[in-house]
Amino acid sequence: MEKENVTIYDVAREAGVSMATVSRVVNGNSNVKQATKDKVLAVIDRLDYRPNAVARGLASKKTTTVGVIIPDVTDMFFSELARGVDDVASMYHYNIILANSDDSGTKELQVLENLLAKQVDGIIYMGNGLRDKLREQFSHTNVPIVLAGGVDEKNQTPTVNIDYTAATKDAVAKLISNGHKKIAFISGSLEQAINKEYRLKGYKEALAEADIAFDETLIFATNYTYNAGFELANELYGTSATAAFVGADELAAGVLNGLTDRGVSVPNDFEIITAINTKLTQITRPQLTTISIPMYDMGAVAMRMLTKLMGKENIENGRLSLPYGIISRQTTR
Amino acid sequence: MEKENVTIYDVAREAGVSMATVSRVVNGNSNVKQATKDKVLAVIDRLDYRPNAVARGLASKKTTTVGVIIPDVTDMFFSELARGVDDVASMYHYNIILANSDDSGTKELQVLENLLAKQVDGIIYMGNGLRDKLREQFSHTNVPIVLAGGVDEKNQTPTVNIDYTAATKDAVAKLISNGHKKIAFISGSLEQAINKEYRLKGYKEALAEADIAFDETLIFATNYTYNAGFELANELYGTSATAAFVGADELAAGVLNGLTDRGVSVPNDFEIITAINTKLTQITRPQLTTISIPMYDMGAVAMRMLTKLMGKENIENGRLSLPYGIISRQTTR
DNA sequence: AATAAAAATGTAAACGCTTGCATATTAGAT
DNA sequence: ATCTAATATGCAAGCGTTTACATTTTTATT
């Protein structure tokens, strides 16, 4: 049962050819006579030979694995992205090394170091922004990197995402057109570029276009959890806000339930638009009106872009904004 | 900027020692004079040397990476497991290669092949059962494997999970003690061992202990989606069932909302207990009463067990059942 | 100061493959 | 048959480490 690893050398011997020839048939090199190819294939089958990817990687300097830096696989937004990444990765015969970063600056750096040590052919980075330290490390390596679903405020890195500013603007505009003047902006930390530089910008633009003054007290930055939202509902209750844009679905679900439990009727007394369109949005009652982000596609497209980069193909455009939508459900009128 | 890869050889030359010595300091081998260690470390730092894990893997026959076969990262149950796995993996300096299988027999086999080709040091398998074909492949390899959260009905594979039978029995017993006689059993496919061999068994045991006859028409096997549950609510409506045990939270949320939308008042007219305790259970209104499974811990413990196996340590017990609980919320009285 | 034992370092052979280059075989044209 | 040009195969040098084993240096003992 202890299958001593059979090597290319064993196959060569059994088939009566050189290991170079075996290598050729394994790699689908065309310059092999059909007869010998068959012979070799037969031996491979008989010996149950499985090429050692590590040796392959050392010799060819390609590992056919890509690193994926993800804040948290448990987060529905990111896991959906990851699924898109993995599907096209495996389509192109790549494997992914998945590493959680908790969106922490130090962990990210350490994870990157790890991934590079493992000689990944490319990296997909997910996060809520791109810290300078990390961007700098990125620029020091030859390994291609693409951002999936995130933003690089300095536009130095190939990226696949949506136009978060425009999407937020649209969402807030919808609230405005429903008659609201006091609209809360609820998001994760404003240290994250995606919130500070993009979403908040869209929010402000929408207000500006409607000549509504920006009100600092309507800005809430918390963490992306259900409980944070639930508790925030309290605070919100005391403000003049009559509607809210929320930057994450779980957070929005918390706000919604918190408000509801407090006797606020959504959407009659308060309207909510959330930002992602994860499954959650259909499970809450009332169902959440939301921006819809093509999460899976962003992951898939990002990975596809990475394959091109790894293949040294020319990339027409390294910054792809995929289309988004707004789905009206029951938390808006 | 094109950092030509600096190798152990470069470091050795610059430091005026042999590559063996460099290797020793890199690997923390004690037999190195402090002075030379410092010297080497300085050079490593200056040259920004990063050991090539692929070469390392070839030479040492250890890759410090483990394969994780997961049905779908997007599934909250499995992603939570995966998080536990990754956290302890990184604690022990392992990386994980994450591969989605969609719980498909053929994909699983192919993924396994891949993982073995990449010379992973170990494998964490997640699924809703263990197919014979796969179990057989497992037995043909020397690479240690542990099941996380799943079941091997033949008990041949090291496993970390909970006692699904007992948990289901408890849940159903609770329903019975609330006065129900007609209790629906709703789960994913009965081709999955976890449903057919474990959960259903617990369900039957609970009925038997209460002298309630098993009623085939109360058994519903569908797929694990919100929509499946939502639609199933229709069917359920026509039966005599007054309560249900549901094998997955998303499915349960569907049933709950479907029933509610149809005017059934939960828990007054119908009670529901679900099986996992993902975040969803607190988001639905009413909140779902549920079995609570220590998902993260199962992943973490499974990975810990795997590290022992990979280190050729003796495992006292290869079959760990972690404690579970039942959390009463609002879908039961 | 000599010697043995211990500690530190070096040498070189793997590890299992890919790949450039050389060589041998085959086919096509004359 | 002969010569050319493909086509097919083999040879051997890497790829960047680890790790026995050998050798040198240091330390301790007498």
Side-chain angles (χ1 to χ4, degrees):
Chain A
M1 208 88 325
E2 301 288 317
K3 183 199 302 174
E4 283 319 309
N5 274 327
V6 3
T7 74
I8 198 174
Y9 196 78
D10 300 322
V11 176
R13 180 170 26 72
E14 292 288 310
V17 298
S18 73
M19 46 190 295
T21 297
V22 176
S23 175
R24 287 190 189 96
V25 348
V26 167
N27 292 294
N29 185 309
S30 54
N31 283 1
V32 183
K33 212 194 315 183
Q34 188 61 44
T36 71
K37 182 185 290 186
D38 293 343
K39 191 171 53 178
V40 170
L41 252 16
V43 174
I44 286 179
D45 204 54
R46 176 158 63 79
L47 264 44
D48 205 14
Y49 167 68
R50 176 193 301 129
N52 179 324
V54 173
R56 216 125 87 143
L58 184 57
S60 67
K61 293 175 164 270
K62 303 222 152 302
T63 53
T64 62
T65 107
V66 312
V68 176
I69 302 177
I70 192 172
D72 184 3
V73 239
T74 265
D75 183 300
M76 297 176 81
F77 175 68
F78 293 117
S79 67
E80 201 73 48
L81 281 168
R83 189 46 146 110
V85 170
D86 188 43
D87 280 359
V88 351
S90 80
M91 200 171 294
Y92 284 87
H93 302 288
Y94 283 93
N95 283 112
I96 67 175
I97 295 186
L98 204 282
N100 292 95
S101 72
D102 286 318
D103 219 340
S104 132
T106 54
K107 256 195 185 173
E108 278 179 351
L109 289 170
Q110 179 199 311
V111 156
L112 174 65
E113 195 63 18
N114 251 259
L115 258 17
L116 293 176
K118 295 247 161 131
Q119 312 297 118
V120 295
D121 295 338
I123 292 177
I124 295 282
Y125 175 81
M126 303 177 190
N128 294 301
L130 184 52
R131 297 180 178 76
D132 292 337
K133 266 272 187 58
L134 196 62
R135 189 184 298 103
E136 192 199 323
Q137 293 303 316
F138 282 178
S139 73
H140 284 351
T141 176
N142 296 321
V143 177
I145 298 173
V146 0
L147 266 53
V151 292
D152 171 10
E153 58 269 43
K154 298 211 174 138
N155 283 327
Q156 288 178 197
T157 318
T159 304
V160 177
N161 57 190
I162 67 158
D163 185 337
Y164 289 106
T165 302
T168 305
K169 183 177 169 187
D170 288 355
V172 175
K174 180 182 174 78
L175 255 15
I176 292 174
S177 81
N178 279 7
H180 296 281
K181 306 260 181 226
K182 294 292 189 179
I183 302 171
F185 175 90
I186 304 174
S187 76
S189 164
L190 287 180
E191 315 228 306
Q192 298 174 346
I194 193 172
N195 292 321
K196 183 172 176 193
E197 314 285 344
Y198 295 76
R199 291 195 173 118
L200 190 53
K201 182 153 170 260
Y203 170 80
K204 286 178 177 170
E205 285 178 8
L207 292 189
E209 283 195 7
D211 279 324
I212 300 177
F214 175 75
D215 179 353
E216 186 79 50
T217 66
L218 294 177
I219 306 302
F220 300 88
T222 177
N223 51 334
Y224 291 128
T225 64
Y226 174 80
N227 284 332
F230 194 85
E231 277 157 27
L232 206 145
N234 266 327
E235 266 186 79
L236 212 51
Y237 196 64
T239 70
S240 54
T242 59
F245 163 83
V246 186
D249 293 354
E250 213 180 314
L251 188 57
V255 171
L256 170 60
N257 282 346
L259 248 22
T260 303
D261 285 6
R262 202 155 276 94
V264 177
S265 166
V266 177
N268 299 323
D269 303 342
F270 198 96
E271 294 188 49
I272 298 174
I273 297 191
T274 183
I276 314 290
N277 194 31
T278 59
K279 302 172 186 174
L280 280 191
T281 55
Q282 307 200 52
I283 291 180
T284 60
R285 285 297 130 100
Q287 294 174 196
L288 287 156
T289 291
T290 185
I291 292 169
S292 85
I293 301 187
M295 299 170 270
Y296 180 91
D297 292 351
M298 291 195 307
V301 171
M303 181 64 208
R304 178 62 183 111
M305 184 185 281
L306 187 60
T307 64
K308 289 183 185 168
L309 257 14
M310 294 187 296
K312 309 232 180 300
E313 284 180 49
N314 254 30
I315 242 60
E316 2 26 272
N317 187 350
R319 248 139 260 140
L320 256 38
S321 276
L322 267 34
Y324 61 88
I326 293 211
I327 301 181
S328 287
R329 286 203 270 253
Q330 306 164 339
T331 56
T332 53
R333 274 180 258 124
Chain B
M1 208 88 327
E2 300 289 316
K3 182 199 304 176
E4 283 319 309
N5 273 329
V6 5
T7 73
I8 199 174
Y9 197 78
D10 300 322
V11 176
R13 180 171 24 75
E14 291 288 311
V17 298
S18 74
M19 45 190 296
T21 297
V22 176
S23 175
R24 288 191 189 95
V25 347
V26 167
N27 292 295
N29 185 308
S30 55
N31 283 2
V32 184
K33 213 196 313 183
Q34 187 61 43
T36 73
K37 182 184 290 185
D38 292 344
K39 189 170 53 176
V40 170
L41 250 18
V43 174
I44 285 179
D45 203 55
R46 177 158 62 79
L47 263 44
D48 206 12
Y49 166 69
R50 176 192 300 129
N52 179 323
V54 173
R56 214 123 92 136
L58 184 58
S60 68
K61 294 175 163 268
K62 304 223 154 300
T63 54
T64 62
T65 107
V66 312
V68 177
I69 302 178
I70 192 172
D72 184 3
V73 238
T74 263
D75 182 301
M76 297 175 82
F77 176 68
F78 293 117
S79 68
E80 201 71 48
L81 281 168
R83 187 51 146 106
V85 170
D86 188 43
D87 280 0
V88 351
S90 81
M91 200 170 295
Y92 285 87
H93 302 289
Y94 283 92
N95 283 112
I96 67 176
I97 295 187
L98 203 283
N100 293 95
S101 71
D102 286 318
D103 219 340
S104 133
T106 54
K107 255 193 184 174
E108 278 178 351
L109 289 170
Q110 178 199 313
V111 156
L112 174 64
E113 195 63 18
N114 251 261
L115 257 18
L116 293 176
K118 294 246 161 129
Q119 313 297 118
V120 294
D121 295 338
I123 291 178
I124 295 281
Y125 175 82
M126 302 177 190
N128 294 301
L130 184 51
R131 296 180 177 76
D132 291 337
K133 266 271 188 59
L134 196 63
R135 189 184 298 103
E136 193 199 322
Q137 292 304 315
F138 282 178
S139 72
H140 284 352
T141 174
N142 295 321
V143 176
I145 297 173
V146 1
L147 265 54
V151 293
D152 171 9
E153 58 268 44
K154 299 209 173 140
N155 283 328
Q156 290 179 195
T157 318
T159 303
V160 177
N161 56 191
I162 67 158
D163 185 335
Y164 289 106
T165 302
T168 305
K169 182 177 170 188
D170 288 355
V172 175
K174 180 183 174 78
L175 257 13
I176 291 174
S177 81
N178 279 8
H180 296 280
K181 305 259 182 229
K182 293 294 188 178
I183 301 170
F185 175 89
I186 304 174
S187 76
S189 164
L190 288 179
E191 316 228 304
Q192 299 174 347
I194 193 173
N195 292 321
K196 183 171 175 197
E197 314 285 345
Y198 295 76
R199 291 193 174 118
L200 191 52
K201 182 153 170 262
Y203 170 81
K204 286 179 176 170
E205 285 178 9
L207 293 189
E209 284 196 5
D211 279 323
I212 299 177
F214 176 74
D215 180 352
E216 185 81 51
T217 66
L218 259 21
I219 307 302
F220 300 87
T222 177
N223 51 334
Y224 290 127
T225 64
Y226 175 80
N227 284 332
F230 195 85
E231 278 156 27
L232 207 145
N234 266 328
E235 266 186 80
L236 213 51
Y237 196 63
T239 71
S240 54
T242 60
F245 163 82
V246 186
D249 293 355
E250 214 180 313
L251 188 58
V255 171
L256 169 61
N257 281 347
L259 248 23
T260 303
D261 286 6
R262 201 155 275 94
V264 177
S265 165
V266 177
N268 300 321
D269 304 341
F270 198 97
E271 293 189 50
I272 298 174
I273 298 190
T274 183
I276 314 289
N277 193 32
T278 59
K279 302 173 187 174
L280 280 191
T281 55
Q282 306 200 52
I283 291 180
T284 60
R285 284 299 127 104
Q287 294 174 195
L288 286 156
T289 291
T290 184
I291 293 167
S292 85
I293 302 187
M295 300 170 270
Y296 179 91
D297 292 350
M298 290 195 308
V301 172
M303 182 63 209
R304 178 63 183 110
M305 184 185 283
L306 187 60
T307 64
K308 289 183 185 166
L309 257 14
M310 293 186 298
K312 310 233 181 300
E313 283 180 51
N314 254 32
I315 240 61
E316 4 25 274
N317 187 350
R319 248 139 261 141
L320 255 38
S321 275
L322 267 33
Y324 61 86
I326 293 211
I327 301 181
S328 288
R329 284 203 270 253
Q330 306 163 339
T331 56
T332 53
R333 275 181 258 125

